[in-house]
Amino acid sequence: MKKYIAITFIALSSAMVLLQCTRRNEEDLKAICFEASILPVIQANCGTAGCHDATTAADGYDLTNYIGIMRAVKPGNGTGSKLVKVMLETRPDKRMPPPPAAPMSQDFIDLVIKWIDKGDGNVVGCASNAACDTSSVSFARDVQPILNDFCVSCHTAGAPSGGVVLNTYNGVKTVADNGKLIGSISHTPGFSAMPPSGIKLDECKLNTIKAWVNSGAPNN
């Protein structure tokens, strides 16, 4: 009887491990959406006027499109790619985006490395296919990561553009309450359009922030 129980336990444990591995493999097989997850963040932080937009193309790099970005990529080698190296650079005069802008978030850098290592390439047409649940939006889980990727490089405490601080809850709460946050990200006339690259956040990100503001902009 004990032997039977032991064998059953081992079989169940093996099945659970196999299921977990299968789920991880399925997740790894999913292509990272360049159009929704990589391009807009690079455009907002790097492909701006005076830096790496099509007109300026500092150091010969136009980072507003896939072809230009791939010039700074070593296929299959994320950490060896110039695109990643300049984001990880600790010397202020070498880092991108340069000070006083804040560094790119580690989560985004990790995503770029994974995108390059996997060789997912120019995956498009996926932005509108992702599920967008705004029924229970959290500042920490949903809103702040969006701001970190698209806004904090210019609006961080210490040298905030326009006096707007977006890397703290209190700073975000202020512009959420006075209408500047929604006005800017919605590109409403009379507000400074953000991100400054001129490209609006996708509908899911916009709706996520709007849902949080409409719920009272809680510190949740």
Side-chain angles (χ1 to χ4, degrees):
M1 182 65 178
K2 289 182 179 179
K3 183 177 181 180
Y4 172 78
I5 293 174
I7 293 173
T8 302
F9 176 77
I10 293 172
L12 288 173
S13 298
S14 299
M16 290 177 67
V17 170
L18 179 61
L19 179 60
Q20 291 173 346
C21 290
T22 300
R23 287 174 176 169
R24 282 197 294 269
N25 289 339
E26 288 176 351
E27 195 65 31
D28 288 340
L29 287 172
K30 290 181 181 178
I32 294 172
C33 185
F34 174 79
E35 178 185 41
S37 301
I38 305 294
L39 178 61
V41 180
I42 292 178
Q43 287 176 329
N45 289 275
C46 310
T48 55
C51 293
H52 298 286
D53 65 344
T55 301
T56 309
D59 298 324
Y61 289 96
D62 172 9
L63 300 181
T64 63
N65 58 72
Y66 176 74
I67 294 175
I69 290 171
M70 287 304 295
R71 291 190 61 244
V73 166
K74 184 178 289 186
N77 187 351
T79 55
S81 295
K82 186 170 184 177
L83 181 65
V84 173
K85 287 181 177 180
V86 294
M87 287 192 273
L88 290 172
E89 181 61 66
T90 57
R91 292 170 293 178
D93 60 325
K94 300 293 184 181
R95 174 172 64 78
M96 289 292 162
M104 303 291 272
S105 72
Q106 189 59 51
D107 285 346
F108 178 69
I109 295 174
D110 290 342
L111 183 67
V112 172
I113 292 173
K114 185 176 181 181
W115 169 68
I116 296 172
D117 286 347
K118 289 179 64 183
D120 282 339
N122 191 16
V123 179
V124 299
C126 42
S128 59
N129 295 331
C132 187
D133 183 4
T134 60
S135 59
S136 180
V137 177
S138 160
F139 174 75
R141 184 190 66 238
D142 304 306
V143 176
Q144 189 67 73
I146 298 173
L147 300 179
N148 286 345
D149 283 341
F150 292 92
C151 311
V152 165
S153 64
C154 293
H155 298 283
T156 188
S161 178
V164 175
V165 176
L166 296 179
N167 67 325
T168 68
Y169 169 75
N170 289 336
V172 179
K173 173 69 170 171
T174 297
V175 291
D177 289 345
N178 64 23
K180 287 185 178 180
L181 179 60
I182 297 302
S184 292
I185 64 174
S186 299
H187 292 194
T188 302
F191 292 89
S192 297
M194 293 294 162
S197 61
I199 299 174
K200 289 173 66 175
L201 299 177
D202 65 48
E203 285 302 311
C204 185
K205 292 181 177 67
L206 282 172
N207 290 335
T208 295
I209 295 175
K210 287 178 181 178
W212 174 72
V213 172
N214 291 337
S215 67
N219 188 8
N220 57 352

